[in-house]
Amino acid sequence: MQRRDAIKTGFSLVGLLAAGSFVYKEYANAKPVLKLRPPAALDEDEFLTRCIRCGLCVEACPFDTLKLAEFKDSGVGIGTPFFTPRDIPCYMCEDIPCVVECPTEALDPKLVTKDGALDINMAKMGVAVVDEKNCVAYFGIQCDACYRACPLIDKALWIDYKRNERTGKHAFLLPIVDSDYCTGCGKCEIACITDKAAITVLPRDMVIGKVGDNYVKGWVEGDDAKLKDVDTKMHLDSKKGIKYLNEDEL
């Protein structure tokens, strides 16, 4: 009986080792995933705290855009919802069912509500970035696939027309993204004609900079309010000046 138990224990250990080896291999080979959360997701730390991994938002999505992160999806948070625009973008449902179904407000309706009604155009899932080196429009080829795909055409994505100095005959149709309006839906990315998309949606915290309060846009009404408590007077120390003039090196 003891021998039989020992054999069973041995097989169990072998099974556990094999399973552990498989899990480790999956983890070691996992590729980092750029997290694009559903519309109205809270800031990442707060989102991860509130999300209970229920999957209701995934079930509510009519386009199968959202999926729950698996072990292989490195850096996302197992069981949390995200999407990959090049596979399936967010199709900007007006009723935003994924947000409505969230039981914990990890997807916060207030972030996509305007004048008391849901407004998907307020979503900030990410922001599109153009790779000018590989976008064929910057070669001089007249491609506007991403521009035509944008649900906020001429606001989130517009075309800058420039003369092609190389040929002297054609114009460049250059896609320009306005991060103030871009929702990060990814419809531009899936529409891109290049083998690997030359316009890519990235998480906003990776792309959007912060200029700092010491810069003022004089042409923007109210922006000079930043200077209200700032001391703009020069404070000179005459003693330091005298000491400098009396140094041996001079």
Side-chain angles (χ1 to χ4, degrees):
M1 190 68 178
Q2 291 180 348
R3 183 180 179 185
R4 181 180 297 175
D5 290 341
I7 292 173
K8 288 172 65 177
T9 301
F11 277 117
S12 297
L13 289 173
V14 170
L16 287 172
L17 287 171
S21 176
F22 174 78
V23 170
Y24 176 78
K25 183 179 179 181
E26 286 290 304
Y27 179 78
N29 293 332
K31 296 181 179 179
V33 177
L34 292 175
K35 299 182 292 293
L36 289 183
R37 298 299 188 188
L42 297 170
D43 289 340
E44 187 66 12
D45 289 343
E46 183 66 19
F47 174 81
L48 291 173
T49 299
R50 289 206 192 184
C51 178
I52 58 175
R53 283 71 168 170
C54 63
L56 290 176
C57 58
V58 175
E59 293 179 9
C61 179
F63 297 101
D64 294 327
T65 297
L66 299 177
K67 59 182 179 179
L68 295 179
E70 300 176 0
F71 191 80
K72 62 183 179 180
D73 298 316
S74 175
V76 181
I78 296 176
T80 61
F82 75 105
F83 71 101
T84 306
R86 192 63 165 172
D87 295 335
I88 309 176
C90 172
Y91 283 97
M92 305 275 285
C93 303
E94 291 186 2
D95 55 347
I96 327 181
C98 57
V99 175
V100 173
E101 290 298 321
C102 180
T104 64
E105 294 191 351
L107 306 180
D108 189 350
K110 294 189 292 294
L111 298 179
V112 285
T113 297
K114 184 178 181 181
D115 298 328
L118 291 174
D119 184 356
I120 187 59
N121 293 333
M122 295 182 66
K124 299 296 181 186
M125 296 169 276
V127 63
V129 177
V130 179
D131 176 5
E132 298 178 4
K133 292 291 185 181
N134 291 292
C135 173
V136 297
Y138 283 81
F139 296 176
I141 298 173
Q142 294 193 8
C143 175
D144 61 357
C146 60
Y147 169 71
R148 296 295 174 188
C150 181
L152 292 176
I153 192 169
D154 288 326
K155 291 184 70 176
L157 188 57
W158 52 280
I159 295 293
D160 184 18
Y161 297 91
K162 287 189 175 180
R163 177 181 172 81
N164 188 333
E165 298 293 344
R166 178 174 57 82
T167 65
K169 298 179 180 179
H170 307 96
F172 287 111
L173 279 64
L174 308 178
I176 306 295
V177 177
D178 189 329
S179 59
D180 287 343
Y181 294 101
C182 180
T183 65
C185 69
K187 294 182 75 173
C188 57
E189 184 174 339
I190 197 172
C192 183
I193 66 171
T194 55
D195 289 346
K196 183 178 180 181
I199 183 168
T200 308
V201 180
L202 299 175
R204 293 184 71 85
D205 59 359
M206 291 182 62
V207 178
I208 305 299
K210 184 177 180 181
V211 70
D213 292 337
N214 53 317
Y215 292 96
V216 175
K217 299 175 184 176
W219 62 93
V220 177
E221 185 177 355
D223 203 49
D224 57 353
K226 297 176 183 177
L227 301 177
K228 182 179 179 181
D229 299 319
V230 175
D231 185 359
T232 58
K233 295 180 180 180
M234 294 183 64
H235 298 276
L236 301 177
D237 189 337
S238 58
K239 292 182 179 180
K240 284 186 177 180
I242 294 172
K243 181 180 179 181
Y244 170 76
L245 291 173
N246 290 326
E247 287 181 350
D248 295 337
E249 289 80 0
L250 294 178

PDB file of all heavy atoms in Angstrom, residues 161-193:
ATOM      1  N   TYR A 161      -2.505  69.664 -46.133  1.00  0.00           N
ATOM      2  CA  TYR A 161      -2.111  69.627 -47.544  1.00  0.00           C
ATOM      3  C   TYR A 161      -0.837  70.452 -47.738  1.00  0.00           C
ATOM      4  O   TYR A 161      -0.800  71.636 -47.416  1.00  0.00           O
ATOM      5  CB  TYR A 161      -3.230  70.183 -48.428  1.00  0.00           C
ATOM      6  CG  TYR A 161      -4.507  69.377 -48.367  1.00  0.00           C
ATOM      7  CD1 TYR A 161      -5.507  69.687 -47.447  1.00  0.00           C
ATOM      8  CD2 TYR A 161      -4.703  68.297 -49.220  1.00  0.00           C
ATOM      9  CE1 TYR A 161      -6.676  68.942 -47.380  1.00  0.00           C
ATOM     10  CE2 TYR A 161      -5.868  67.546 -49.162  1.00  0.00           C
ATOM     11  CZ  TYR A 161      -6.848  67.878 -48.238  1.00  0.00           C
ATOM     12  OH  TYR A 161      -7.996  67.134 -48.177  1.00  0.00           O
ATOM     13  N   LYS A 162       0.195  69.796 -48.263  1.00  0.00           N
ATOM     14  CA  LYS A 162       1.462  70.488 -48.500  1.00  0.00           C
ATOM     15  C   LYS A 162       1.982  70.186 -49.902  1.00  0.00           C
ATOM     16  O   LYS A 162       1.786  69.090 -50.427  1.00  0.00           O
ATOM     17  CB  LYS A 162       2.507  70.061 -47.461  1.00  0.00           C
ATOM     18  CG  LYS A 162       2.274  70.632 -46.076  1.00  0.00           C
ATOM     19  CD  LYS A 162       3.452  70.345 -45.164  1.00  0.00           C
ATOM     20  CE  LYS A 162       3.275  71.017 -43.810  1.00  0.00           C
ATOM     21  NZ  LYS A 162       4.421  70.750 -42.911  1.00  0.00           N
ATOM     22  N   ARG A 163       2.657  71.148 -50.463  1.00  0.00           N
ATOM     23  CA  ARG A 163       3.239  70.988 -51.792  1.00  0.00           C
ATOM     24  C   ARG A 163       4.406  70.005 -51.735  1.00  0.00           C
ATOM     25  O   ARG A 163       5.228  70.037 -50.821  1.00  0.00           O
ATOM     26  CB  ARG A 163       3.724  72.347 -52.312  1.00  0.00           C
ATOM     27  CG  ARG A 163       4.432  72.299 -53.666  1.00  0.00           C
ATOM     28  CD  ARG A 163       4.880  73.690 -54.076  1.00  0.00           C
ATOM     29  NE  ARG A 163       5.711  73.679 -55.265  1.00  0.00           N
ATOM     30  CZ  ARG A 163       5.261  73.607 -56.503  1.00  0.00           C
ATOM     31  NH1 ARG A 163       3.953  73.548 -56.710  1.00  0.00           N
ATOM     32  NH2 ARG A 163       6.083  73.608 -57.534  1.00  0.00           N
ATOM     33  N   ASN A 164       4.463  69.121 -52.719  1.00  0.00           N
ATOM     34  CA  ASN A 164       5.569  68.179 -52.839  1.00  0.00           C
ATOM     35  C   ASN A 164       6.698  68.862 -53.600  1.00  0.00           C
ATOM     36  O   ASN A 164       6.674  68.963 -54.825  1.00  0.00           O
ATOM     37  CB  ASN A 164       5.111  66.913 -53.573  1.00  0.00           C
ATOM     38  CG  ASN A 164       6.164  65.821 -53.556  1.00  0.00           C
ATOM     39  OD1 ASN A 164       7.359  66.092 -53.475  1.00  0.00           O
ATOM     40  ND2 ASN A 164       5.719  64.573 -53.639  1.00  0.00           N
ATOM     41  N   GLU A 165       7.681  69.348 -52.863  1.00  0.00           N
ATOM     42  CA  GLU A 165       8.783  70.080 -53.485  1.00  0.00           C
ATOM     43  C   GLU A 165       9.645  69.170 -54.358  1.00  0.00           C
ATOM     44  O   GLU A 165      10.308  69.636 -55.289  1.00  0.00           O
ATOM     45  CB  GLU A 165       9.646  70.736 -52.400  1.00  0.00           C
ATOM     46  CG  GLU A 165       8.907  71.758 -51.539  1.00  0.00           C
ATOM     47  CD  GLU A 165       8.490  72.988 -52.332  1.00  0.00           C
ATOM     48  OE1 GLU A 165       9.022  73.200 -53.440  1.00  0.00           O
ATOM     49  OE2 GLU A 165       7.611  73.734 -51.844  1.00  0.00           O
ATOM     50  N   ARG A 166       9.644  67.880 -54.078  1.00  0.00           N
ATOM     51  CA  ARG A 166      10.476  66.949 -54.845  1.00  0.00           C
ATOM     52  C   ARG A 166       9.992  66.828 -56.283  1.00  0.00           C
ATOM     53  O   ARG A 166      10.794  66.835 -57.223  1.00  0.00           O
ATOM     54  CB  ARG A 166      10.475  65.571 -54.171  1.00  0.00           C
ATOM     55  CG  ARG A 166      11.277  64.505 -54.908  1.00  0.00           C
ATOM     56  CD  ARG A 166      11.338  63.221 -54.090  1.00  0.00           C
ATOM     57  NE  ARG A 166      10.016  62.728 -53.766  1.00  0.00           N
ATOM     58  CZ  ARG A 166       9.264  61.999 -54.598  1.00  0.00           C
ATOM     59  NH1 ARG A 166       9.710  61.699 -55.810  1.00  0.00           N
ATOM     60  NH2 ARG A 166       8.074  61.566 -54.224  1.00  0.00           N
ATOM     61  N   THR A 167       8.676  66.728 -56.466  1.00  0.00           N
ATOM     62  CA  THR A 167       8.133  66.577 -57.818  1.00  0.00           C
ATOM     63  C   THR A 167       7.655  67.904 -58.398  1.00  0.00           C
ATOM     64  O   THR A 167       7.649  68.089 -59.609  1.00  0.00           O
ATOM     65  CB  THR A 167       6.947  65.601 -57.811  1.00  0.00           C
ATOM     66  OG1 THR A 167       5.880  66.161 -57.030  1.00  0.00           O
ATOM     67  CG2 THR A 167       7.343  64.265 -57.220  1.00  0.00           C
ATOM     68  N   GLY A 168       7.245  68.798 -57.514  1.00  0.00           N
ATOM     69  CA  GLY A 168       6.725  70.081 -57.971  1.00  0.00           C
ATOM     70  C   GLY A 168       5.356  69.988 -58.604  1.00  0.00           C
ATOM     71  O   GLY A 168       4.814  70.979 -59.097  1.00  0.00           O
ATOM     72  N   LYS A 169       4.762  68.796 -58.590  1.00  0.00           N
ATOM     73  CA  LYS A 169       3.478  68.604 -59.269  1.00  0.00           C
ATOM     74  C   LYS A 169       2.383  68.087 -58.336  1.00  0.00           C
ATOM     75  O   LYS A 169       1.211  68.270 -58.606  1.00  0.00           O
ATOM     76  CB  LYS A 169       3.639  67.607 -60.423  1.00  0.00           C
ATOM     77  CG  LYS A 169       4.592  68.063 -61.513  1.00  0.00           C
ATOM     78  CD  LYS A 169       4.712  66.997 -62.591  1.00  0.00           C
ATOM     79  CE  LYS A 169       5.677  67.443 -63.683  1.00  0.00           C
ATOM     80  NZ  LYS A 169       5.827  66.399 -64.739  1.00  0.00           N
ATOM     81  N   HIS A 170       2.785  67.416 -57.288  1.00  0.00           N
ATOM     82  CA  HIS A 170       1.800  66.751 -56.446  1.00  0.00           C
ATOM     83  C   HIS A 170       1.750  67.378 -55.060  1.00  0.00           C
ATOM     84  O   HIS A 170       2.611  68.179 -54.696  1.00  0.00           O
ATOM     85  CB  HIS A 170       2.130  65.260 -56.330  1.00  0.00           C
ATOM     86  CG  HIS A 170       2.295  64.574 -57.649  1.00  0.00           C
ATOM     87  ND1 HIS A 170       3.520  64.371 -58.231  1.00  0.00           N
ATOM     88  CD2 HIS A 170       1.376  64.074 -58.513  1.00  0.00           C
ATOM     89  CE1 HIS A 170       3.365  63.759 -59.395  1.00  0.00           C
ATOM     90  NE2 HIS A 170       2.074  63.567 -59.591  1.00  0.00           N
ATOM     91  N   ALA A 171       0.749  66.974 -54.309  1.00  0.00           N
ATOM     92  CA  ALA A 171       0.599  67.465 -52.939  1.00  0.00           C
ATOM     93  C   ALA A 171       0.718  66.310 -51.958  1.00  0.00           C
ATOM     94  O   ALA A 171       0.373  65.167 -52.271  1.00  0.00           O
ATOM     95  CB  ALA A 171      -0.752  68.149 -52.763  1.00  0.00           C
ATOM     96  N   PHE A 172       1.247  66.612 -50.790  1.00  0.00           N
ATOM     97  CA  PHE A 172       1.222  65.660 -49.686  1.00  0.00           C
ATOM     98  C   PHE A 172      -0.119  65.790 -48.967  1.00  0.00           C
ATOM     99  O   PHE A 172      -0.588  66.897 -48.717  1.00  0.00           O
ATOM    100  CB  PHE A 172       2.342  65.958 -48.689  1.00  0.00           C
ATOM    101  CG  PHE A 172       3.717  65.604 -49.174  1.00  0.00           C
ATOM    102  CD1 PHE A 172       4.644  66.595 -49.458  1.00  0.00           C
ATOM    103  CD2 PHE A 172       4.096  64.281 -49.334  1.00  0.00           C
ATOM    104  CE1 PHE A 172       5.920  66.281 -49.885  1.00  0.00           C
ATOM    105  CE2 PHE A 172       5.371  63.948 -49.768  1.00  0.00           C
ATOM    106  CZ  PHE A 172       6.286  64.950 -50.051  1.00  0.00           C
ATOM    107  N   LEU A 173      -0.732  64.658 -48.642  1.00  0.00           N
ATOM    108  CA  LEU A 173      -1.944  64.634 -47.827  1.00  0.00           C
ATOM    109  C   LEU A 173      -1.561  64.015 -46.485  1.00  0.00           C
ATOM    110  O   LEU A 173      -1.617  62.805 -46.308  1.00  0.00           O
ATOM    111  CB  LEU A 173      -3.056  63.821 -48.497  1.00  0.00           C
ATOM    112  CG  LEU A 173      -3.880  64.501 -49.600  1.00  0.00           C
ATOM    113  CD1 LEU A 173      -3.013  64.842 -50.801  1.00  0.00           C
ATOM    114  CD2 LEU A 173      -5.035  63.602 -50.032  1.00  0.00           C
ATOM    115  N   LEU A 174      -1.141  64.842 -45.554  1.00  0.00           N
ATOM    116  CA  LEU A 174      -0.528  64.355 -44.329  1.00  0.00           C
ATOM    117  C   LEU A 174      -1.544  64.266 -43.188  1.00  0.00           C
ATOM    118  O   LEU A 174      -2.163  65.266 -42.823  1.00  0.00           O
ATOM    119  CB  LEU A 174       0.619  65.285 -43.925  1.00  0.00           C
ATOM    120  CG  LEU A 174       1.652  65.570 -45.023  1.00  0.00           C
ATOM    121  CD1 LEU A 174       2.710  66.530 -44.512  1.00  0.00           C
ATOM    122  CD2 LEU A 174       2.282  64.280 -45.527  1.00  0.00           C
ATOM    123  N   PRO A 175      -1.714  63.075 -42.594  1.00  0.00           N
ATOM    124  CA  PRO A 175      -2.653  62.928 -41.476  1.00  0.00           C
ATOM    125  C   PRO A 175      -2.100  63.555 -40.199  1.00  0.00           C
ATOM    126  O   PRO A 175      -0.959  63.314 -39.822  1.00  0.00           O
ATOM    127  CB  PRO A 175      -2.792  61.408 -41.331  1.00  0.00           C
ATOM    128  CG  PRO A 175      -1.504  60.861 -41.874  1.00  0.00           C
ATOM    129  CD  PRO A 175      -1.072  61.800 -42.962  1.00  0.00           C
ATOM    130  N   ILE A 176      -2.920  64.370 -39.560  1.00  0.00           N
ATOM    131  CA  ILE A 176      -2.540  65.043 -38.321  1.00  0.00           C
ATOM    132  C   ILE A 176      -3.565  64.693 -37.241  1.00  0.00           C
ATOM    133  O   ILE A 176      -4.772  64.830 -37.455  1.00  0.00           O
ATOM    134  CB  ILE A 176      -2.489  66.574 -38.498  1.00  0.00           C
ATOM    135  CG1 ILE A 176      -1.579  66.952 -39.675  1.00  0.00           C
ATOM    136  CG2 ILE A 176      -2.037  67.235 -37.208  1.00  0.00           C
ATOM    137  CD1 ILE A 176      -0.118  66.615 -39.483  1.00  0.00           C
ATOM    138  N   VAL A 177      -3.082  64.247 -36.092  1.00  0.00           N
ATOM    139  CA  VAL A 177      -3.964  63.852 -34.986  1.00  0.00           C
ATOM    140  C   VAL A 177      -4.053  64.988 -33.971  1.00  0.00           C
ATOM    141  O   VAL A 177      -3.037  65.569 -33.590  1.00  0.00           O
ATOM    142  CB  VAL A 177      -3.443  62.578 -34.289  1.00  0.00           C
ATOM    143  CG1 VAL A 177      -4.323  62.220 -33.087  1.00  0.00           C
ATOM    144  CG2 VAL A 177      -3.376  61.418 -35.273  1.00  0.00           C
ATOM    145  N   ASP A 178      -5.265  65.293 -33.551  1.00  0.00           N
ATOM    146  CA  ASP A 178      -5.481  66.263 -32.472  1.00  0.00           C
ATOM    147  C   ASP A 178      -5.845  65.481 -31.216  1.00  0.00           C
ATOM    148  O   ASP A 178      -6.937  64.917 -31.112  1.00  0.00           O
ATOM    149  CB  ASP A 178      -6.608  67.236 -32.838  1.00  0.00           C
ATOM    150  CG  ASP A 178      -6.720  68.395 -31.853  1.00  0.00           C
ATOM    151  OD1 ASP A 178      -6.400  68.192 -30.665  1.00  0.00           O
ATOM    152  OD2 ASP A 178      -7.145  69.497 -32.259  1.00  0.00           O
ATOM    153  N   SER A 179      -4.922  65.450 -30.266  1.00  0.00           N
ATOM    154  CA  SER A 179      -5.114  64.635 -29.064  1.00  0.00           C
ATOM    155  C   SER A 179      -6.257  65.124 -28.188  1.00  0.00           C
ATOM    156  O   SER A 179      -6.750  64.383 -27.338  1.00  0.00           O
ATOM    157  CB  SER A 179      -3.817  64.592 -28.244  1.00  0.00           C
ATOM    158  OG  SER A 179      -3.426  65.899 -27.857  1.00  0.00           O
ATOM    159  N   ASP A 180      -6.686  66.374 -28.378  1.00  0.00           N
ATOM    160  CA  ASP A 180      -7.814  66.880 -27.598  1.00  0.00           C
ATOM    161  C   ASP A 180      -9.113  66.171 -27.971  1.00  0.00           C
ATOM    162  O   ASP A 180     -10.021  66.045 -27.147  1.00  0.00           O
ATOM    163  CB  ASP A 180      -7.992  68.385 -27.810  1.00  0.00           C
ATOM    164  CG  ASP A 180      -6.915  69.204 -27.118  1.00  0.00           C
ATOM    165  OD1 ASP A 180      -6.233  68.654 -26.228  1.00  0.00           O
ATOM    166  OD2 ASP A 180      -6.750  70.385 -27.467  1.00  0.00           O
ATOM    167  N   TYR A 181      -9.203  65.716 -29.218  1.00  0.00           N
ATOM    168  CA  TYR A 181     -10.442  65.102 -29.698  1.00  0.00           C
ATOM    169  C   TYR A 181     -10.324  63.595 -29.928  1.00  0.00           C
ATOM    170  O   TYR A 181     -11.342  62.895 -29.959  1.00  0.00           O
ATOM    171  CB  TYR A 181     -10.891  65.764 -31.006  1.00  0.00           C
ATOM    172  CG  TYR A 181     -11.294  67.208 -30.849  1.00  0.00           C
ATOM    173  CD1 TYR A 181     -10.432  68.236 -31.217  1.00  0.00           C
ATOM    174  CD2 TYR A 181     -12.534  67.552 -30.314  1.00  0.00           C
ATOM    175  CE1 TYR A 181     -10.797  69.567 -31.066  1.00  0.00           C
ATOM    176  CE2 TYR A 181     -12.906  68.879 -30.163  1.00  0.00           C
ATOM    177  CZ  TYR A 181     -12.032  69.883 -30.542  1.00  0.00           C
ATOM    178  OH  TYR A 181     -12.400  71.198 -30.383  1.00  0.00           O
ATOM    179  N   CYS A 182      -9.107  63.096 -30.115  1.00  0.00           N
ATOM    180  CA  CYS A 182      -8.926  61.667 -30.399  1.00  0.00           C
ATOM    181  C   CYS A 182      -9.437  60.828 -29.232  1.00  0.00           C
ATOM    182  O   CYS A 182      -9.036  61.026 -28.085  1.00  0.00           O
ATOM    183  CB  CYS A 182      -7.451  61.370 -30.658  1.00  0.00           C
ATOM    184  SG  CYS A 182      -7.108  59.631 -31.020  1.00  0.00           S
ATOM    185  N   THR A 183     -10.311  59.872 -29.536  1.00  0.00           N
ATOM    186  CA  THR A 183     -10.874  59.006 -28.494  1.00  0.00           C
ATOM    187  C   THR A 183     -10.046  57.742 -28.285  1.00  0.00           C
ATOM    188  O   THR A 183     -10.226  57.038 -27.296  1.00  0.00           O
ATOM    189  CB  THR A 183     -12.310  58.579 -28.858  1.00  0.00           C
ATOM    190  OG1 THR A 183     -12.270  57.771 -30.045  1.00  0.00           O
ATOM    191  CG2 THR A 183     -13.206  59.785 -29.080  1.00  0.00           C
ATOM    192  N   GLY A 184      -9.167  57.436 -29.254  1.00  0.00           N
ATOM    193  CA  GLY A 184      -8.383  56.208 -29.153  1.00  0.00           C
ATOM    194  C   GLY A 184      -9.145  54.977 -29.587  1.00  0.00           C
ATOM    195  O   GLY A 184      -8.799  53.858 -29.201  1.00  0.00           O
ATOM    196  N   CYS A 185     -10.165  55.160 -30.417  1.00  0.00           N
ATOM    197  CA  CYS A 185     -10.997  54.019 -30.832  1.00  0.00           C
ATOM    198  C   CYS A 185     -10.222  53.012 -31.671  1.00  0.00           C
ATOM    199  O   CYS A 185     -10.526  51.825 -31.672  1.00  0.00           O
ATOM    200  CB  CYS A 185     -12.227  54.504 -31.589  1.00  0.00           C
ATOM    201  SG  CYS A 185     -11.879  55.225 -33.219  1.00  0.00           S
ATOM    202  N   GLY A 186      -9.232  53.484 -32.437  1.00  0.00           N
ATOM    203  CA  GLY A 186      -8.406  52.582 -33.227  1.00  0.00           C
ATOM    204  C   GLY A 186      -8.927  52.280 -34.619  1.00  0.00           C
ATOM    205  O   GLY A 186      -8.353  51.447 -35.328  1.00  0.00           O
ATOM    206  N   LYS A 187      -9.999  52.945 -35.051  1.00  0.00           N
ATOM    207  CA  LYS A 187     -10.512  52.689 -36.398  1.00  0.00           C
ATOM    208  C   LYS A 187      -9.513  53.134 -37.460  1.00  0.00           C
ATOM    209  O   LYS A 187      -9.458  52.560 -38.548  1.00  0.00           O
ATOM    210  CB  LYS A 187     -11.861  53.390 -36.583  1.00  0.00           C
ATOM    211  CG  LYS A 187     -12.965  52.815 -35.700  1.00  0.00           C
ATOM    212  CD  LYS A 187     -14.305  53.491 -35.923  1.00  0.00           C
ATOM    213  CE  LYS A 187     -14.939  53.037 -37.213  1.00  0.00           C
ATOM    214  NZ  LYS A 187     -16.324  53.568 -37.360  1.00  0.00           N
ATOM    215  N   CYS A 188      -8.715  54.134 -37.142  1.00  0.00           N
ATOM    216  CA  CYS A 188      -7.662  54.556 -38.065  1.00  0.00           C
ATOM    217  C   CYS A 188      -6.594  53.476 -38.190  1.00  0.00           C
ATOM    218  O   CYS A 188      -6.079  53.206 -39.279  1.00  0.00           O
ATOM    219  CB  CYS A 188      -7.036  55.871 -37.596  1.00  0.00           C
ATOM    220  SG  CYS A 188      -6.348  55.804 -35.921  1.00  0.00           S
ATOM    221  N   GLU A 189      -6.265  52.850 -37.066  1.00  0.00           N
ATOM    222  CA  GLU A 189      -5.201  51.849 -37.054  1.00  0.00           C
ATOM    223  C   GLU A 189      -5.573  50.626 -37.879  1.00  0.00           C
ATOM    224  O   GLU A 189      -4.761  50.118 -38.658  1.00  0.00           O
ATOM    225  CB  GLU A 189      -4.877  51.442 -35.618  1.00  0.00           C
ATOM    226  CG  GLU A 189      -3.716  50.468 -35.520  1.00  0.00           C
ATOM    227  CD  GLU A 189      -3.293  50.185 -34.088  1.00  0.00           C
ATOM    228  OE1 GLU A 189      -3.604  51.001 -33.193  1.00  0.00           O
ATOM    229  OE2 GLU A 189      -2.643  49.143 -33.868  1.00  0.00           O
ATOM    230  N   ILE A 190      -6.800  50.152 -37.729  1.00  0.00           N
ATOM    231  CA  ILE A 190      -7.196  48.965 -38.490  1.00  0.00           C
ATOM    232  C   ILE A 190      -7.357  49.290 -39.972  1.00  0.00           C
ATOM    233  O   ILE A 190      -7.227  48.424 -40.835  1.00  0.00           O
ATOM    234  CB  ILE A 190      -8.493  48.343 -37.922  1.00  0.00           C
ATOM    235  CG1 ILE A 190      -8.659  46.912 -38.435  1.00  0.00           C
ATOM    236  CG2 ILE A 190      -9.704  49.190 -38.242  1.00  0.00           C
ATOM    237  CD1 ILE A 190      -9.802  46.152 -37.796  1.00  0.00           C
ATOM    238  N   ALA A 191      -7.612  50.569 -40.286  1.00  0.00           N
ATOM    239  CA  ALA A 191      -7.791  50.969 -41.685  1.00  0.00           C
ATOM    240  C   ALA A 191      -6.465  51.187 -42.405  1.00  0.00           C
ATOM    241  O   ALA A 191      -6.427  51.214 -43.639  1.00  0.00           O
ATOM    242  CB  ALA A 191      -8.619  52.251 -41.756  1.00  0.00           C
ATOM    243  N   CYS A 192      -5.379  51.335 -41.655  1.00  0.00           N
ATOM    244  CA  CYS A 192      -4.074  51.638 -42.256  1.00  0.00           C
ATOM    245  C   CYS A 192      -3.660  50.540 -43.232  1.00  0.00           C
ATOM    246  O   CYS A 192      -3.760  49.348 -42.929  1.00  0.00           O
ATOM    247  CB  CYS A 192      -3.018  51.799 -41.165  1.00  0.00           C
ATOM    248  SG  CYS A 192      -1.392  52.265 -41.807  1.00  0.00           S
ATOM    249  N   ILE A 193      -3.170  50.945 -44.412  1.00  0.00           N
ATOM    250  CA  ILE A 193      -2.905  49.995 -45.495  1.00  0.00           C
ATOM    251  C   ILE A 193      -1.532  49.337 -45.406  1.00  0.00           C
ATOM    252  O   ILE A 193      -1.262  48.384 -46.135  1.00  0.00           O
ATOM    253  CB  ILE A 193      -3.033  50.686 -46.866  1.00  0.00           C
ATOM    254  CG1 ILE A 193      -1.934  51.751 -47.035  1.00  0.00           C
ATOM    255  CG2 ILE A 193      -4.418  51.302 -47.033  1.00  0.00           C
ATOM    256  CD1 ILE A 193      -1.837  52.325 -48.429  1.00  0.00           C
TER     257      ILE A 193
END
